Amino acid sequence: MGDAAFWILAVGAVVTGIGVFQMDSMARATFLLLASFLCGAGELLLLGLGYLGMVIVLMMTMEMVVMAVFMVMYMMNPAGLMPMTMVHNQRPATVIAVVTFAGLVAGILLTPWPERKGARPMDSTMQVGEAIMGPQMLLMIVIGVAILATMIASVVLATDRGRYDRYGDRLERRRPDDPIPGGRR
Amino acid sequence: MGEDIGFWAVAGLLAAVGGLAVAAAMLDSVMGAAAMGHARPVAAMLDPVRETARLLVQQRSVVPASDSVLRLIGTGGIVLAAALAALVVPVGMRPVADLDIGVVWFNAMEVLVWAALWLIGWGSNAAFGLVGGYRIIAQGLAYELPHMFALITAALGAGSLRVGDVVAAQSGLWFVVWMPVAFAVYLLSALAMAFWGPLGQPVDEDLAGGAVSELAAVDRLVFLAGRYALLAVTAAFAVPLFLGGGAGPWLPGWLWMLLKTLAVLGVLVWARWRLPTMRMDRFMEAAWVVLIPAILLQALVVGIVVVARG
């Protein structure tokens, strides 16, 4: 049962992954990529890593939905349904992809994987939490601050209207002057 | 993960979700008739049945050059996501599949609904459908943070992501009593996740039906079934999270679960007919400046209580 599920998900992940590059529609390509990720998440669930598997389902679905919007915007004509192609620079790209895939597979097969020491934990979620909040706490704090700084910086760079545009040069307006009102009126 | 799930338990659960979906549709129809000033509740209650019969015999309609594969995946996906979300909703004290990450599972299924609705809108090859599809993405992203924090606050109070544990943790005091903000935020963001009522803009009348404007016949019937099932499951999940699950005097657990679910469902349907549709751009600032700080403070309070209790 577990073996059958593993192979179905594994083959499914590769086939949908290849399918991404066969499509002439950005929407289809994006959701095939999502299907590939969901197969990967299924493998994690098979390993008993419930939390990590479900977080991949949650995050990847959100990311692919957002990606669909942007990729349709950048790569297709505005009407969206005109054919397009997913591959550019085809021959070198194929070579790079095949070599990378072969390298990764060789790595998987040639690595002397360690045997399991100790019993499987009752609650893998707790173990992930302890690993993050325990020995890796410093790393997570640094990453957290870096991500927050990146988010703030990118929003500051992207926005064309700051608080001085909204509240006046001396921040004297009590209500913001917005082209599209955003709630506080 | 890895628990054995009985066939009959799943079949019973699906029947229960189907029944609740029909109940939601009838409640919606009756309340709608009352709000419009039609005093014929019995006739209104049977409207969903009439509508089902009409959709079954209606001609299917397909727009030229539409992506029917994606549209079909989207239409079926809403039903599938609602059914999968129901797996972790307890019937009584324990869910059919009491996964150790049940709360995350539920949220992941809700997010799949955004993808499904966008696929319907995109696959229809129609302008209004596409606009409605983009609306659900904007709305989903806007409400996902408060929604996630409301779910996490309840899990934090129980110290577990397992829905059965969340119910068990409320044996003394229901979470709604000491996390009222989280409950209110859950109900509000649940409206957004189920694209219902005041937050139903993705399929609103102002777009002639939005994402699903082109669906007809069986396709629309499947979508409506999924939509009411989603609404019912979203309402039902508020009960184990905040209202003590199947706990209650005299009556058996499953009956209390049903009664509480119907009460929450009633509030959500009432909101559709008594509150105006909110434009999400106008609500956005309130969501970020009020809603998220409020739910974060609630999580902080719950966290302090949990630590203080030891």
Side-chain angles (χ1 to χ4, degrees):
Chain A
M1 179 66 187
D3 285 349
F6 169 82
W7 282 109
I8 291 170
L9 289 171
V11 172
V14 174
V15 168
T16 48
I18 293 171
V20 169
F21 298 95
Q22 309 295 318
M23 288 299 141
D24 58 358
S25 143
M26 212 55 237
R28 287 188 176 198
T30 306
F31 281 91
L32 272 171
L33 187 56
L34 175 61
S36 187
F37 281 130
L38 294 186
C39 288
E43 300 283 24
L44 282 186
L45 294 181
L46 277 183
L47 288 172
L49 299 172
Y51 182 75
L52 293 180
M54 284 325 288
V55 164
I56 289 183
V57 174
L58 185 71
M59 301 309 293
M60 282 306 152
T61 310
M62 276 195 266
E63 282 175 21
M64 289 305 120
V65 166
V66 174
M67 195 179 100
V69 174
F70 282 93
M71 295 310 264
V72 165
M73 197 159 73
Y74 290 141
M75 306 226 357
M76 301 179 79
N77 75 334
L81 288 167
M82 283 286 280
M84 41 78 70
T85 173
M86 278 297 292
V87 282
H88 310 280
N89 195 17
Q90 200 164 352
R91 198 164 298 153
T94 312
V95 172
I96 293 170
V98 169
V99 168
T100 312
F101 185 79
L104 290 173
V105 170
I108 293 171
L109 294 178
L110 297 179
T111 305
W113 296 104
E115 292 292 315
R116 176 191 288 282
K117 284 185 226 150
R120 195 162 139 168
M122 277 301 290
D123 189 350
S124 61
T125 310
M126 180 72 89
Q127 215 184 22
V128 171
E130 280 172 349
I132 291 175
M133 295 300 173
Q136 309 297 335
M137 191 67 189
L138 183 64
L139 183 67
M140 296 313 286
I141 290 177
V142 173
I143 291 177
V145 172
I147 292 176
L148 184 65
T150 312
M151 278 158 55
I152 294 175
S154 54
V155 169
V156 167
L157 289 177
T159 188
D160 64 335
R161 285 175 55 80
R163 59 179 174 155
Y164 295 107
D165 303 300
R166 303 185 68 218
Y167 289 97
D169 288 339
R170 297 171 184 280
L171 302 176
E172 73 276 5
R173 283 184 210 125
R174 289 198 56 226
R175 291 177 186 285
D177 174 23
D178 289 333
I180 299 172
R184 285 181 63 187
R185 316 207 58 180
Chain B
M1 309 301 292
E3 287 87 352
D4 284 331
I5 301 167
F7 171 76
W8 289 110
V10 173
L13 181 74
L14 289 181
V17 171
L20 267 180
V22 172
M26 288 180 164
L27 192 63
D28 185 36
S29 179
V30 170
M31 283 196 172
M36 300 292 179
H38 305 157
R40 40 179 205 100
V42 177
M45 204 167 84
L46 292 178
D47 271 347
V49 181
R50 268 192 288 275
E51 178 70 1
T52 304
R54 185 183 76 83
L55 289 176
L56 278 174
V57 297
Q58 195 182 33
Q59 177 112 32
R60 290 182 78 177
S61 99
V62 177
V63 177
S66 62
D67 195 334
S68 17
V69 176
L70 291 188
R71 203 196 54 192
L72 284 178
I73 293 175
T75 319
I78 290 191
V79 180
L80 188 68
L84 287 176
L87 275 183
V88 294
V89 178
V91 189
M93 299 311 277
R94 289 265 157 196
V96 169
D98 201 4
L99 310 177
D100 54 7
I101 35 89
V103 175
V104 187
W105 172 279
F106 184 82
N107 198 206
M109 294 309 125
E110 283 177 316
V111 173
L112 281 177
V113 170
W114 315 351
L117 199 58
W118 187 84
L119 284 175
I120 296 177
W122 171 270
S124 297
N125 190 21
F128 285 167
L130 194 59
V131 175
Y134 284 141
R135 279 185 180 178
I136 186 67
I137 298 178
Q139 174 162 314
L141 288 171
Y143 287 91
E144 174 60 19
L145 275 183
H147 191 67
M148 197 188 270
F149 280 125
L151 294 175
I152 289 301
T153 305
L156 179 64
S160 170
L161 290 170
R162 190 187 291 272
V163 182
D165 293 347
V166 178
V167 175
Q170 300 175 65
S171 56
L173 188 63
W174 290 2
F175 281 173
V176 65
V177 178
W178 63 290
M179 4 181 139
V181 178
F183 181 60
V185 170
Y186 176 83
L187 283 190
L188 182 62
S189 52
L191 289 175
M193 293 292 150
F195 47 98
W196 182 259
L199 300 172
Q201 275 216 311
V203 293
D204 204 4
E205 295 294 317
D206 71 335
L207 285 179
V212 297
S213 54
E214 296 298 330
L215 288 190
V218 181
D219 300 310
R220 177 169 285 272
L221 185 61
V222 172
F223 164 75
L224 286 174
R227 185 185 194 197
Y228 283 110
L230 180 70
L231 183 70
V233 171
T234 313
F237 203 60
V239 179
L241 280 185
F242 297 104
L243 300 175
W250 306 307
L251 302 175
W254 62 268
L255 194 53
W256 270 116
M257 181 70 203
L258 183 65
L259 291 176
K260 291 175 191 175
T261 300
L262 286 176
V264 178
L265 194 58
V267 171
L268 296 184
V269 174
W270 176 89
R272 172 178 183 187
W273 292 105
R274 295 296 170 180
L275 300 178
T277 303
M278 269 192 278
R279 259 178 55 187
M280 58 182 79
D281 57 335
R282 295 201 165 177
F283 189 66
M284 194 54 75
E285 188 166 340
W288 280 94
V289 178
V290 180
L291 212 55
I292 290 182
I295 186 67
L296 280 176
L297 280 176
Q298 174 78 89
L300 178 68
V301 170
V302 171
I304 291 173
V305 170
V306 168
V307 171
R309 271 195 321 211

